[in-house]
Amino acid sequence: MTNQPPPTTTLWRPTGPEELALVEASGWRAWPPRLPEQPIFYPVLNEDYAIRIARDWNVPASGVGHVTRFEVETAFLERYPVQRAGGETILELWVPAEELDEFNRHIVGLIEVVRTYR
């Protein structure tokens, strides 16, 4: 019997340059702690939604927006109900800031930048 890795779910996160620098500092393995005004970490469930946020929000706010992709153990994610933040494809998970360290421990592999907008 072989040791199969746990099933994973692909998530995306639009991010600006400051957050991305902190992800890089972690060795591309973890999301940084939330700021006091950020009680929730919200990865999104599809690349198109992440692109829209990176392009339409992060670029005007900071001059650059990145779309990241990463894998998380599917069984762990079941604790977070999918939130619809608008239209049919505007789906995200709401991870309370105090659970982010545990969330990071369930990331499989590295966080990768898949798109950049300026």
Side-chain angles (χ1 to χ4, degrees):
M1 199 156 141
T2 60
N3 253 351
Q4 292 291 329
T8 62
T9 297
T10 302
L11 297 175
W12 288 265
R13 177 153 173 88
T15 185
E18 296 86 4
E19 184 176 56
L20 190 66
L22 295 171
V23 170
E24 183 179 12
S26 80
W28 302 99
R29 296 194 175 279
W31 293 100
R34 302 291 82 200
L35 299 172
E37 67 273 13
Q38 299 171 321
I40 294 174
F41 172 75
Y42 61 95
V44 302
L45 275 65
N46 65 70
E47 188 177 20
D48 180 61
Y49 180 33
I51 287 169
R52 284 187 277 163
I53 296 170
R55 187 187 58 216
D56 301 344
W57 295 1
N58 293 113
V59 172
S62 58
V64 63
H66 304 283
V67 175
T68 61
R69 179 177 61 211
F70 59 104
E71 300 288 324
V72 180
E73 293 173 12
T74 300
F76 174 77
L77 291 178
E78 290 173 1
R79 68 177 63 190
Y80 303 109
V82 173
Q83 305 291 330
R84 182 178 275 176
E88 198 170 310
T89 62
I90 302 178
L91 305 175
E92 50 195 38
L93 299 179
W94 294 353
V95 179
E98 61 272 12
E99 295 179 22
L100 189 54
D101 283 345
E102 185 177 7
F103 180 91
N104 283 332
R105 287 193 293 274
H106 291 273
I107 293 175
V108 176
L110 301 177
I111 298 165
E112 56 185 333
V113 175
V114 295
R115 296 179 188 269
T116 296
Y117 297 92
R118 297 184 188 280

